[in-house]
Amino acid sequence: MIDKHNNNTNPLSLEIKGLVKNLFEVKHFKNGFKKREILLLTEEQYPQKIIIEFIKEKVKLLDFVVEGDRIKVFINLKGRKWISSDGTEKYFNSIQGWKIEKLKSESESESESESESEYESESEFEFEEKPLNPNPNPNPNPNPNPNPGLEDFPF
């Protein structure tokens, strides 16, 4: 799922939420450049498998991510032109991650919502069991028992 996210530094940044399916090894290049990619399965009606690359110092962000994590990745879309040796121009796009937030797994979210709903229903039950007493009379049984010898039950 790609969402627009507003912040002070970049008026239009994007984010993708999903499940980490694969973490690839860091690739080192001759000029000292390095990058690492992840495969993310998006959370939407038609899930997509998206490759997101982390470059330079952002590679370290993936040190705390493991396969199976649900994450939100803040991304930039990049495009560049490449000219082949015969002069043909081609354009390529890439998705570069610059920030990661871990999300709760779906099972954690489900169990949390179940426990919240159990708590809410228990609270409602407790509330219903405590009726208000509109009679300020301190005598708990204002009417004498018509059947002496039987216990006086409150219901």
Side-chain angles (χ1 to χ4, degrees):
M1 163 79 82
I2 298 178
D3 294 323
K4 294 178 184 176
H5 177 75
N6 291 322
N7 61 29
N8 295 336
T9 59
N10 188 354
L12 177 64
S13 65
L14 301 172
E15 57 189 51
I16 301 176
K17 294 178 186 176
L19 183 68
V20 177
K21 298 303 279 183
N22 199 348
L23 283 159
F24 298 96
E25 294 297 318
V26 177
K27 294 179 184 175
H28 296 272
F29 298 89
K30 291 179 185 177
N31 59 1
F33 180 81
K34 62 182 175 178
K35 83 172 185 178
R36 188 173 185 190
E37 297 174 323
I38 63 169
L39 178 64
L40 195 71
L41 181 65
T42 63
E43 297 177 343
E44 52 195 352
Q45 183 177 3
Y46 302 105
Q48 301 295 309
K49 292 181 179 176
I50 305 288
I51 291 285
I52 303 171
E53 64 182 23
F54 292 79
I55 61 171
K56 301 178 183 176
E57 73 279 352
K58 299 298 182 185
V59 167
K60 293 179 186 175
L61 295 174
L62 296 174
D63 290 346
F64 304 101
V65 175
V66 296
E67 288 181 19
D69 280 351
R70 284 186 66 234
I71 61 173
K72 180 185 341 182
V73 183
F74 295 83
I75 61 167
N76 291 324
L77 299 177
K78 299 288 186 174
R80 69 177 197 279
K81 178 170 80 170
W82 176 76
I83 302 174
S84 69
S85 58
D86 66 359
T88 305
E89 291 183 359
K90 291 197 174 198
Y91 292 86
F92 295 93
N93 299 319
S94 61
I95 302 171
Q96 291 183 352
W98 56 272
K99 180 180 174 184
I100 296 175
E101 289 179 4
K102 285 201 175 188
L103 302 173
K104 293 180 181 177
S105 70
E106 291 195 18
S107 61
E108 287 175 335
S109 298
E110 288 174 8
S111 65
E112 194 172 275
S113 64
E114 286 175 9
S115 64
E116 285 174 6
S117 64
E118 286 175 14
Y119 175 76
E120 289 171 4
S121 61
E122 285 176 8
S123 298
E124 290 172 12
F125 183 73
E126 289 175 6
F127 178 76
E128 291 173 5
E129 292 237 347
K130 298 176 184 173
L132 296 174
N133 185 2
N135 185 0
N137 185 353
N139 183 0
N141 189 5
N143 299 325
N145 188 350
N147 299 319
L150 296 178
E151 292 203 20
D152 192 17
F153 290 105
F155 51 89

